[in-house]
Amino acid sequence: MAVLVLGRPVVAAGGVSRRPARRMVRVLLGVLAVRANRALPLEWLIDALWPGRPPVSAAANVRTHLAELRRLLRAGGPDQPGIVTSHDGYALVAPPDGVDVTLFQRLVREGRELRGHGAQHAAAGRLAEAVALWRGPVMHGVPVPEAVRPDVAVLDEQRLDAIEDLVGLRLALGSHDELVPALAGLVVEHPLRERLWHHLVGALAASGRRTEALAAYQRLVRVLDAELGVAPSAATRELYEAVRRGDAGAWPSG
């Protein structure tokens, strides 16, 4: 059994996903999962779910929602995610693989450790597993409370960092042609992520598409200037100059 919130909040077991029927229970599941293994005081949960305007029955409502989540999770048995009550509050306590958020973070750490040891194929595999856990935006389909928006923003950043790391590894392993379409879409979706543009320029150049690589760099220059008033980093400028000179040794060759 696992709690999944990198996408719609659901509880998955045996290949079947179960979604709490009530929206507020789904929100609570997302909040607990984003902050898995941390005790959250009742007052904090009330403010997260009803910021500035809690109903008179807020405390009772939270306890009712928690009871519903306990019933949903109880089928998992021991050593599975569960709601724990302590003097500090309520926590979704789960093993490392019991919440997709913590599993994602573990896989990313392992992928980077493997990369650091020179195991590029294994590192790419681990990072690919991590990225594949994302089924959509965090807590997709329910409102994200202000209280956990910083946590969600960190997760979004971690996802993009992992994608960039994975692309860099796959480029180094020679997957240039197949990465170009994905990178072209990513720079449209995240136009201010210079590292994605850097990878796109490198992938195009390594695929023999030098003119397109130079054009991609010029698009980056315009985007950064218009949006941030800055120029590309020294590393990206050096890549551009290498592509302009036709220096094939300056980008990944596989």
Side-chain angles (χ1 to χ4, degrees), residues 4-244:
L4 310 179
V5 293
L6 301 178
R8 295 186 182 277
V10 297
V11 174
V16 177
S17 295
R18 292 180 292 171
R19 186 181 74 160
R22 288 181 289 178
R23 187 180 73 162
M24 193 62 80
V25 181
R26 297 197 295 273
V27 173
L28 180 59
L29 178 63
V31 168
L32 291 168
V34 166
R35 294 201 168 192
N37 298 307
R38 284 182 280 179
L40 304 175
L42 176 61
E43 295 76 12
W44 188 93
L45 287 170
I46 290 172
D47 189 57
L49 296 177
W50 298 280
R53 47 182 178 78
V56 175
S57 60
N61 291 351
V62 169
R63 293 188 178 100
T64 298
H65 299 338
L66 289 166
E68 182 174 336
L69 290 178
R70 282 193 173 102
R71 288 192 295 272
L72 192 60
L73 293 167
R74 194 169 293 139
D79 300 320
Q80 297 292 325
I83 307 296
V84 173
T85 305
S86 70
H87 68 277
D88 293 320
Y90 302 92
L92 173 63
V93 175
D97 296 355
V99 179
D100 58 358
V101 169
T102 53
L103 175 58
F104 164 75
Q105 292 168 333
R106 177 177 69 78
L107 289 169
V108 170
R109 286 195 303 272
E110 291 177 358
R112 288 171 178 159
E113 288 170 3
L114 288 165
R115 181 185 61 185
H117 291 115
Q120 291 185 315
H121 284 282
R126 207 61 54 90
L127 287 169
E129 285 182 62
V131 171
L133 291 173
W134 288 72
R135 300 165 293 112
V138 181
M139 295 177 61
H140 183 55
V142 297
V144 177
E146 185 69 34
V148 294
R149 284 182 188 171
D151 304 81
V152 170
V154 168
L155 285 168
D156 289 338
E157 184 73 14
Q158 290 175 342
R159 172 179 175 264
L160 287 171
D161 287 343
I163 289 172
E164 290 171 349
D165 287 351
L166 175 59
V167 169
L169 282 165
R170 292 184 63 192
L171 282 174
L173 293 169
S175 301
H176 314 121
D177 292 334
E178 64 188 72
L179 284 171
V180 168
L183 281 166
L186 284 167
V187 297
V188 171
E189 188 177 354
H190 307 285
L192 301 182
R193 300 286 297 200
E194 184 183 334
R195 195 174 169 205
L196 291 173
W197 285 98
H198 185 108
H199 286 327
L200 176 60
V201 172
L204 286 166
S207 301
R209 299 160 68 173
R210 180 168 169 268
T211 300
E212 292 174 72
L214 296 173
Y217 175 83
Q218 294 300 336
R219 292 203 308 276
L220 170 63
V221 170
R222 291 193 293 272
V223 167
L224 293 182
D225 180 60
E227 298 295 330
L228 303 176
V230 300
S233 67
T236 304
R237 293 198 305 271
E238 288 170 8
L239 175 61
Y240 165 73
E241 291 297 335
V243 175
R244 193 174 59 81

